[in-house]
């Protein structure tokens, strides 16, 4: 039986100081869950800080981390919609 895939979609705009901590908390929260696979889909909503770089560092360490890049800031709702369009879970 295949494990279910759950996508966690996170919109981020200028969150360089929070990305790593959020990832650590989410990763820790889902680690005890068995028979479920997760993807962490970060939508960079046109950040002007190091949000993108921090997410890409996480992606190199964890294949569950995915990134959607928006060229400019479209706002939370559009970012979440874009993330759900890319989500596989």
């Amino acid at each position: 039986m295949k494990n279910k895939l759950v996508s966690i979609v996170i919109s981020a705009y200028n969150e360089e100081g929070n990305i790593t901590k959020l990832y650590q908390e989410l990763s820790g929260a889902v680690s005890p869950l068995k028979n479920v696979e997760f993807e962490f889909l970060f939508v960079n909503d046109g950040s002007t800080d190091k949000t993108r770089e921090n997410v890409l560092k996480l992606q190199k360490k964890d294949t569950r981390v995915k990134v959607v890049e928006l060229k400019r800031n479209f706002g939370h709702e559009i970012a979440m919609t874009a993330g759900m369009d890319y989500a596989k879970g």
Side-chain angles (χ1 to χ4, degrees), residues 3-16:
N3 289 345
K4 290 187 180 199
L5 176 65
V6 174
S7 299
I8 299 175
V9 179
I10 304 116
S11 67
Y13 177 69
N14 291 342
E15 296 291 342
E16 69 178 302

Side-chain angles (χ1 to χ4, degrees), residues 64-80:
R64 298 176 300 174
V65 175
K66 310 289 187 244
V67 184
V68 174
E69 288 286 335
L70 301 181
K71 297 279 184 194
R72 66 175 180 86
N73 180 255
F74 287 94
H76 175 69
E77 290 180 15
I78 298 296
M80 292 301 290

Side-chain angles (χ1 to χ4, degrees), residues 30-82:
V30 303
S31 66
L33 302 174
K34 306 300 178 207
N35 301 322
V36 181
E37 292 181 32
F38 289 89
E39 72 173 349
F40 304 114
L41 187 62
F42 288 88
V43 181
N44 182 22
D45 191 16
S47 296
T48 57
D49 65 357
K50 295 187 186 220
T51 297
R52 178 180 186 272
E53 290 86 349
N54 290 351
V55 174
L56 291 175
K57 284 180 191 175
L58 293 173
Q59 188 178 39
K60 286 181 182 178
K61 295 178 184 178
D62 187 343
T63 59
R64 298 176 300 174
V65 175
K66 310 289 187 244
V67 184
V68 174
E69 288 286 335
L70 301 181
K71 297 279 184 194
R72 66 175 180 86
N73 180 255
F74 287 94
H76 175 69
E77 290 180 15
I78 298 296
M80 292 301 290
T81 300

